Amino acid sequence: RPPRSTLFPYTTLFRSGGTGSQGTDKEGGKLGIHQEISSPWDICKLNEDVVFIAMAGIHQIWMYCLDDVDWWKGAKYSAGTLVRVAGSGAEENRNNSYPAKVGFAQPSGLSVDLGFSPSGALYIADSESSTVRRLDLKDGAVKNVCGGERDPTNLFAFGDQEGAGINAKLQHPLAVAWNNARSELYIADSYNHKIKKVTGAKNETVSLLGTGEPGDILGDSKTARLCEPGGLCVRSEEHTSELQSRKIS
């Protein structure tokens, strides 16, 4: 196998954001290397201009501007800026049409659906509320996809139950992955030791892989055992897609 320097001859690692100290700023807006951040748990690229960040430590979604960005309500951000997109900073399960009034609880996983009409959507695995949410990229409105309950202050509405929307129950989901070819959303339902699938207009949520008991056992969807799955990836090639959930040892 060629040495790494041959495989990636022009790859350089550099700091894009954060000062190295945990911050409490809940607005952002500084140049990335001067902007304090707090426990960034996942990143997801929207396009050539924007990368979203799950800022778990302050319960918000931020973005890093790869280029100059025109954002909602006429806001303009220069290349290199780190700034809040959604979330008040309060640890809640609160959905709202106004992104600054939304409450997340340790958002941990992100995935973009560019086909969501009209401007795309960002799916968010919100671990401490045991929910998955959808942020509409048209205006920042956030709605429930599955899990949780209607009381935004109750962060204990967890379980392991199939169903639609809030009738489904999750426990500490850590990752989501959108399958564009099949119009399916996959969830790493960590504390239930399962991968789950969401489909349809009513967000029907079902178990896809895992028995619910922790383990490291290969098998089919009814016999395989996982142990706190924390990451997902969908690989798409033309009209076929494959769900990847791998063990690192």
Side-chain angles (χ1 to χ4, degrees):
R1 188 172 64 179
R4 182 174 294 272
S5 59
T6 302
L7 286 170
F8 305 103
Y10 305 112
T11 300
T12 302
L13 181 65
F14 62 93
R15 178 165 56 100
S16 298
T19 63
S21 298
Q22 186 171 13
T24 58
D25 183 358
K26 296 179 180 179
E27 296 290 336
K30 299 177 185 177
L31 188 67
I33 59 173
H34 301 300
Q35 177 63 60
E36 305 88 353
I37 57 178
S38 182
S39 300
W41 212 255
D42 195 14
I43 59 174
C44 183
K45 186 178 179 181
L46 172 64
N47 51 36
E48 296 304 314
D49 299 334
V50 170
V51 172
F52 291 119
I53 305 162
M55 208 70 77
I58 47 176
H59 317 297
Q60 294 178 323
I61 306 300
W62 282 41
M63 71 175 174
Y64 177 75
C65 302
L66 297 168
D67 204 341
D68 294 346
V69 172
D70 293 330
W71 202 237
W72 303 320
K73 297 185 177 180
K76 296 180 182 293
Y77 301 109
S78 300
T81 300
L82 264 168
V83 65
R84 176 189 66 166
V85 170
S88 66
E91 188 175 13
E92 296 180 315
N93 175 26
R94 189 178 299 277
N95 301 303
N96 203 289
S97 297
Y98 298 95
K101 295 184 178 181
V102 171
F104 295 108
Q106 294 186 23
S108 300
L110 304 174
S111 186
V112 166
D113 171 14
L114 294 177
F116 185 81
S117 181
S119 303
L122 179 69
Y123 289 102
I124 302 159
D126 199 42
S127 61
E128 284 297 295
S129 69
S130 294
T131 66
V132 172
R133 316 281 195 91
R134 185 183 67 224
L135 186 152
D136 193 327
L137 294 176
K138 178 185 69 174
D139 54 14
V142 173
K143 295 183 178 181
N144 173 278
V145 174
C146 60
E149 64 147 80
R150 299 192 189 281
D151 179 358
T153 66
N154 183 5
L155 300 181
F156 298 95
F158 56 81
D160 183 9
Q161 184 173 321
E162 297 185 350
I166 62 171
N167 293 320
K169 293 293 180 280
L170 313 171
Q171 189 170 4
H172 203 78
L174 286 177
V176 284
W178 174 254
N179 185 332
N180 188 62
R182 298 184 179 180
S183 295
E184 295 175 344
L185 181 69
Y186 306 122
I187 304 168
D189 194 5
S190 179
Y191 286 0
N192 284 324
H193 314 291
K194 288 182 176 183
I195 306 299
K196 292 184 176 178
K197 178 177 70 173
V198 183
T199 57
K202 295 183 178 181
N203 296 323
E204 292 286 346
T205 305
V206 298
S207 297
L208 184 64
L209 185 68
T211 65
E213 295 294 326
D216 180 14
I217 300 175
L218 299 177
D220 60 24
S221 60
K222 295 182 179 180
T223 60
R225 287 191 179 185
L226 309 175
C227 188
E228 296 188 11
L232 290 174
C233 178
V234 172
R235 182 180 67 187
S236 297
E237 296 178 0
E238 294 182 353
H239 298 294
T240 63
S241 295
E242 180 181 358
L243 174 66
Q244 304 288 328
S245 175
R246 299 198 180 278
K247 177 184 76 172
I248 298 177
S249 57

